[in-house]
Amino acid sequence: MSTPTIWIFLPIAVSILLMAVHRLHKLSVWIAALSSLLFAAAAFIFPQDLDFSMFGRHFHFDSTFMILNRSLILSASQLRFVSLLYFFSFLWNLTGLQFSTSRWFPTISLAITALWVSALAVEPFLYAAAIVELIVLISTLLITPRGEPASSGVLRYLVTQTIALPFILLSGWMVAGIESAPIASALVLRGTILILIGFALWLAVFPFHTFLPMLAGKSHPLVFGFVFLMQQSSLWVFLLKFLDQFAWLRNLEGIFPALQWIGVLTLLAGGILASLQSKVNRILAYLVMTETGCALLGIGLIAQGGGAFLALSFLPRALAYWQWSYTLSSIQKIAPEVDGSFDSLRGLFRRLPFHSASLILSMLSLLGLPAFGIFPAKRMLWNIGAGLTLPYTPLLSLAVAGMSLFILRLLRALVTPEPNTPSSSLLIQREEPAWQIILLCALTLFSLLMGIFPHLFLNPFMETLGAFSELMPPN
Amino acid sequence: MSFETLRIIAAVILLLCAAVNLVRRHWVLNVAVLALQYVCVFLIILEVRTPLLAAIKLIVGLMVSLMVYLILRTSGLIDSLFSRQRLTSGEVFRGTIALLLVLISHLAAPKVKLSIFPQSSELLLTASMGLMLFGLFQMGTITEPLYLVIGMLTFLSGFELLYASLEFSRVLEAFFTAINLLLALVGSFFIVKDVESRAG
């Protein structure tokens, strides 16, 4: 038995099984959620030497699985990240019961998770580009809204991601055996440009982000949140793999400052564009953008401790996305007349106070407000970034100000009723089930606990990026 | 007729097929031309692949074309092949662009071979660059699902042709096969949704 068999082939087998029972929605959701939880827990507690004894028997697991002369390698150091991916799948599947996303969501979400794990495990790792293309193609089946034609956002997403494939694959071929070449040779520069363009397209960095708000505006918030959380988290790790394995790339002068600038500009664009938004559905796209900007800035600052930012932020970011997507989906279920525009949200605080508060709090959490889960990571990033180069400070501040402005506008819309509303309806009307109130409060409380006691909740994830020993040498 | 002459003819027909797909908006013609395009890719790729391996691309390509054809047929979207003859101004514009793209790929191939891909033949480079350019142009200018999928398949065919001359890996071949089939599936899904929303 090997680790790729457990975390790649077994989930794919479960996913195929789920295809057979996809009409039994509840059953397939439960199977997908519980198997994801099982895979996540197994990856989290798996021994580092891949050896363990149970019931008096000794088990040893190989980290390598050979297929057509190529290998899938899933080492113990990668398992922490694998556990996070399956945990995300668990979270999103768990909410699938409540909302009518798609009958195929459990099947496809599990397959997508397994494919992302395989993308991180395949050797030569450049072949992961083809796996990413497969994931994108499968994802389009999910993010295309039900009962509507494929929107231009979906088509643009498909095109953008497909164009990235040749860039990544050609970069690998072009720089094969380049270690002996001089560091500034034309070949190195060519390879670097191909890699950067490929990742820019994949990660939808500014100005290749145009499909993101279009998609977010049309897709189900939960589906959009899941697809892009998985995509961005895995691609950041994949970018780290490039930097870790290609010595010529990480030793190239200017590569890390270039990543920092790309990150800052994407963050800035996300913040400013968010401040101008008047559709709450589309805001998740800008959140994805700003988080990508932060992550690229973190990768650019890897030598100064940016890796810790990435490792500490995976879980709180996912929880904040989940809270935002869940709350928005729930609002649209309870109040179908809410179409996402600020006008339709007017006075919603009186009808759905806990949902309204949850929307605001999840955004504040992502913004890095003190005491929330992502704060320790964001504080680290702001400190390193602002302390390193002077021009970053005003740009980062502007990005945060843009996002804050949106939050204030949203808050105003939520608490301000329509001008002609009768005074009797200005009283709080309770339309929220008690269990949802408890869930939303528990989510916020958990985020606060993560922020207040990061050593308890986040430190176990510091080892998430331990596989990149060249890029982040162990102390 | 020598094999080299056959390959040159195949390359010319290949670019002509891509040009027809870019210029004409006639679904049954587009699907037929797409299938012919894959036959030409098969003949050109024989330069760097054994007939057995090259046949995989041919079979996959024909399957993809058949899949798209069947979905168009079951959706009731197939017109007669000879139903419309007159050229529109848009088609004339795209035809001019097609000529330009053929010219660019023909003129750029020797330089690209010299500076980037020395192991690939000029003919293969012309064909692959031509397909990629046609695919890119189609993807960038059209939002109708069928043409977008044809554009993506054309773009990927061009890239596969180029990559075949650089490296061989069974795993990658398997991935490309899966991508092509899945793309056809996604395209069919989009076409069906389009039809359903129009009917609804």
Side-chain angles (χ1 to χ4, degrees):
Chain A
M1 190 75 125
S2 63
T3 48
T5 309
I6 302 174
W7 284 285
I8 297 172
F9 296 114
L10 213 54
I12 287 177
V14 176
S15 172
I16 292 169
L17 173 83
L18 285 173
M19 285 170 82
V21 294
H22 79 277
R23 285 183 189 280
L24 306 167
H25 188 58
K26 279 189 178 173
L27 178 69
S28 59
V29 167
W30 276 114
I31 294 175
L34 291 178
S35 52
S36 296
L37 183 64
L38 198 68
F39 290 127
F44 193 78
I45 60 170
F46 216 74
Q48 285 296 302
D49 53 3
L50 305 181
D51 263 331
F52 70 86
S53 299
M54 204 164 62
F55 309 121
R57 291 187 65 183
H58 182 76
F59 296 92
H60 177 74
F61 290 82
D62 278 334
S63 60
T64 307
F65 182 92
M66 295 299 291
I67 181 167
L68 297 172
N69 287 334
R70 305 292 173 178
S71 46
L72 288 165
I73 303 173
L74 211 51
S75 63
S77 56
Q78 288 171 291
L79 288 182
R80 207 38 74 86
F81 186 68
V82 171
S83 85
L84 274 175
L85 291 183
Y86 279 107
F87 183 66
F88 300 162
S89 169
F90 162 70
L91 275 183
W92 261 263
N93 269 299
L94 204 62
T95 40
L97 270 179
Q98 207 192 330
F99 305 107
S100 54
T101 46
S102 162
R103 273 190 308 198
W104 293 99
F105 186 77
T107 314
I108 295 180
S109 61
L110 200 58
I112 287 177
T113 312
L115 284 173
W116 276 121
V117 175
S118 65
L120 299 173
V122 71
E123 288 294 340
F125 68 96
L126 288 158
Y127 289 2
I131 301 177
V132 174
E133 179 65 14
L134 284 175
I135 297 169
V136 167
L137 287 168
I138 297 172
S139 303
T140 51
L141 301 176
L142 269 188
I143 54 179
T144 309
R146 292 176 78 176
E148 286 179 39
S151 64
S152 48
V154 176
L155 300 178
R156 212 179 274 192
Y157 167 64
L158 199 55
V159 168
T160 313
Q161 304 293 304
T162 303
I163 294 173
L165 169 74
F167 284 103
I168 300 293
L169 276 179
L170 282 179
S171 73
W173 168 82
M174 202 167 278
V175 296
I178 208 167
E179 275 72 14
S180 54
I183 197 69
S185 76
L187 218 52
V188 169
L189 288 176
R190 215 178 275 166
T192 308
I193 289 168
L194 285 178
I195 289 171
L196 287 182
I197 294 176
F199 272 96
L201 290 166
W202 266 347
L203 286 168
V205 304
F206 178 77
F208 303 114
H209 67 282
T210 52
F211 64 86
L212 273 179
M214 292 163 99
L215 266 182
K218 289 273 183 186
S219 308
H220 195 286
L222 271 172
V223 172
F224 182 86
F226 176 74
V227 168
F228 284 94
L229 172 73
M230 297 296 272
Q231 179 158 342
Q232 62 176 191
S233 307
S234 305
L235 286 176
W236 298 338
V237 173
F238 193 43
L239 177 58
L240 286 176
K241 198 166 183 174
F242 264 79
L243 290 164
D244 189 69
Q245 303 227 342
F246 287 151
W248 57 266
L249 184 62
R250 66 170 180 274
N251 292 330
L252 184 70
E253 200 180 332
I255 183 73
F256 288 106
L259 285 171
Q260 290 166 21
W261 273 109
I262 295 170
V264 169
L265 290 177
T266 304
L267 181 58
L268 181 68
I272 289 175
L273 291 171
S275 71
L276 305 171
Q277 262 310 307
S278 55
K279 277 262 187 185
V280 82
N281 287 52
R282 293 162 72 105
I283 207 67
L284 192 55
Y286 297 111
L287 291 174
V288 166
M289 235 178 121
T290 51
E291 288 306 306
T292 295
C294 287
L296 289 175
L297 179 60
I299 294 171
L301 294 167
I302 205 98
Q304 289 82 17
F309 156 75
L310 268 187
L312 287 177
S313 65
F314 282 123
L315 184 63
R317 179 186 301 109
L319 287 173
Y321 278 10
W322 189 64
Q323 187 173 358
W324 171 268
S325 320
Y326 176 84
T327 311
L328 193 58
S329 307
S330 183
I331 287 175
Q332 288 175 342
K333 192 180 177 192
I334 298 171
E337 69 279 10
V338 173
D339 62 1
S341 65
F342 273 17
D343 282 341
S344 69
L345 290 168
R346 285 203 182 282
L348 194 73
F349 188 79
R350 285 171 173 77
R351 286 179 63 193
L352 305 170
F354 287 91
H355 280 77
S356 305
S358 177
L359 272 188
I360 297 291
L361 290 173
S362 59
M363 283 204 72
L364 287 174
S365 169
L366 276 172
L367 196 63
L369 198 77
F372 280 101
I374 211 166
F375 171 68
K378 283 274 167 88
R379 188 184 66 106
M380 196 181 286
L381 186 71
W382 301 148
N383 281 348
I384 304 169
L388 193 73
T389 318
L390 193 61
Y392 289 168
T393 314
L395 297 177
L396 294 177
S397 310
L398 213 56
V400 173
M403 202 50 93
S404 310
L405 187 63
F406 175 81
I407 297 173
L408 289 174
R409 287 176 59 219
L410 177 64
L411 188 64
R412 182 171 174 269
L414 287 168
V415 298
T416 313
E418 293 284 358
N420 299 327
T421 311
S423 57
S424 60
S425 59
L426 288 178
L427 297 171
I428 295 278
Q429 306 156 27
R430 289 281 301 280
E431 291 183 35
E432 299 161 304
W435 68 269
Q436 271 193 332
I437 295 174
I438 294 170
L439 178 72
L440 294 175
C441 291
L443 265 173
T444 308
L445 184 68
F446 186 62
S447 179
L448 285 170
L449 285 174
M450 272 195 301
I452 296 167
F453 305 109
H455 53 287
L456 280 181
F457 293 96
L458 299 178
N459 271 13
F461 295 98
M462 282 296 280
E463 297 303 314
T464 308
L465 306 175
F468 308 115
S469 52
E470 298 292 332
L471 199 58
M472 292 177 280
N475 295 324
Chain B
M1 190 194 296
S2 70
F3 181 62
E4 189 55 33
T5 318
L6 186 70
R7 282 183 53 246
I8 293 170
I9 294 170
V12 172
I13 297 175
L14 180 78
L15 293 178
L16 201 66
C17 288
V20 168
N21 267 338
L22 178 70
V23 176
R24 293 294 276 177
R25 297 280 175 265
H26 195 282
W27 292 15
V28 69
L29 176 70
N30 295 133
V31 177
V33 161
L34 182 69
L36 184 60
Q37 194 174 290
Y38 280 111
V39 176
C40 297
V41 167
F42 164 73
L43 291 171
I44 295 171
I45 215 169
L46 280 173
E47 179 192 326
V48 287
R49 287 278 187 275
T50 61
L52 193 68
L53 284 168
I56 295 174
K57 290 213 185 297
L58 176 65
I59 294 165
V60 171
L62 293 179
M63 275 173 72
V64 163
S65 309
L66 188 66
M67 215 190 271
V68 177
Y69 172 74
L70 287 176
I71 208 75
L72 288 175
R73 197 178 159 83
T74 50
S75 309
L77 297 169
I78 290 287
D79 297 328
S80 162
L81 191 59
F82 307 103
S83 62
R84 191 166 62 90
Q85 297 291 332
R86 286 185 63 192
L87 284 177
T88 64
S89 55
E91 286 173 335
V92 173
F93 168 72
R94 289 195 297 270
T96 318
I97 295 290
L99 271 177
L100 197 69
L101 294 181
V102 171
L103 207 64
I104 290 172
S105 44
H106 179 67
L107 292 177
K111 283 188 179 174
V112 172
K113 177 181 164 62
L114 202 68
S115 59
I116 307 175
F117 306 113
Q119 65 271 63
S120 311
S121 72
E122 265 183 41
L123 184 84
L124 190 141
L125 281 176
T126 308
S128 64
M129 278 168 43
L131 283 182
M132 287 172 82
L133 286 174
F134 275 112
L136 266 180
F137 194 78
Q138 187 138 343
M139 287 191 285
T141 52
I142 290 163
T143 53
E144 203 173 337
L146 173 69
Y147 296 115
L148 193 91
V149 168
I150 289 178
M152 288 175 75
L153 288 167
T154 306
F155 177 76
L156 282 174
S157 293
F159 177 65
E160 282 177 56
L161 200 55
L162 173 67
Y163 207 76
S165 68
L166 306 176
E167 190 187 346
F168 171 66
S169 153
R170 283 194 175 86
V171 173
L172 212 52
E173 292 293 321
F175 281 140
F176 279 137
T177 300
I179 288 171
N180 277 299
L181 291 174
L182 207 53
L183 188 55
L185 187 77
V186 169
S188 306
F189 174 69
F190 287 163
I191 292 167
V192 169
K193 279 183 92 76
D194 211 24
V195 171
E196 278 176 357
S197 68
R198 276 187 215 175

